[in-house]
Amino acid sequence: SRRPLVLLPLAGLGACAALPAEQAMGTPAEAVARHSAASVIANGVPTGAAVAVAPGLAVTNAHVVRAGARPLSLRTADGAEVEVRSVREVPRHDLALLEIPRGALRPVRVSAREPRPGERLWAVGPEGLGRAIASGPVLRPSLTLPGYGRGFTARLGALMGFSGGPVVNGEGELAG
């Protein structure tokens, strides 16, 4: 049958993709991808991304944690895999806080300002799922989502797997 021959080359595309830090070279997201972001790994497979927000703490989406089997780990830009010691989920906001070894990731600088209309942003996704960097403009810089609070929308062209990863502004700061 021809079907397996067609599927095998497609399955290998993610394995051939450059790592997020390599794909981010020359963009404002480079330092974040190299030092602050990581792939969330479950049973050896990336399920999303995470970003360090404080020493020993990273944040991702709760559905990324629920999507994967336990135990969970993070794979950093240098290829090190570190175990997640505990997970606290906030399903209402689709967030999960991950306790990671101190020093595994450098906490990201958080932007003190809201994104501006048309401002270019970069999203950092995990390794192994194809393209790991997406960029695009802010569409709505300030909106309120009932039950969730304030936020913004941007047209980033992010693919499946970008969940939980950082969105970086032109100054290399966490915008979302």
Side-chain angles (χ1 to χ4, degrees):
S1 157
R2 288 185 175 259
R3 179 169 264 177
L5 295 176
V6 172
L7 293 177
L8 287 175
L10 292 175
L13 286 176
C16 296
L19 297 174
E22 294 168 354
Q23 292 181 40
M25 285 181 69
T27 73
E30 181 176 359
V32 174
R34 190 166 307 286
H35 303 293
S36 303
S39 301
V40 178
I41 307 294
N43 294 326
V45 178
T47 59
V51 63
V53 293
L57 294 174
V59 68
T60 189
N61 287 120
H63 73 266
V64 167
V65 174
R66 286 193 302 266
R70 301 290 195 276
L72 292 171
S73 61
L74 296 181
R75 188 170 299 138
T76 62
D78 64 2
E81 197 157 324
V82 295
E83 289 186 32
V84 175
R85 291 191 297 264
S86 67
V87 176
R88 180 172 180 207
E89 295 179 39
V90 184
R92 178 173 178 237
H93 295 288
D94 192 25
L95 293 174
L97 190 63
L98 310 176
E99 187 179 344
I100 62 174
R102 285 182 175 268
L105 294 171
R106 184 183 306 162
V108 67
R109 271 189 345 257
V110 178
S111 179
R113 63 172 181 80
E114 289 183 351
R116 293 179 210 96
E119 176 182 2
R120 189 164 206 78
L121 301 176
W122 289 260
V124 180
E127 64 172 277
L129 295 178
R131 184 171 52 97
I133 300 295
S135 68
V138 172
L139 298 177
R140 294 179 64 194
S142 182
L143 62 104
T144 301
L145 297 171
Y148 291 97
R150 296 184 63 192
F152 64 87
T153 60
R155 180 171 290 140
L156 295 172
L159 303 171
M160 282 182 46
F162 274 73
S163 292
V167 176
V168 179
N169 65 22
E171 290 79 44
E173 300 169 328
L174 185 68

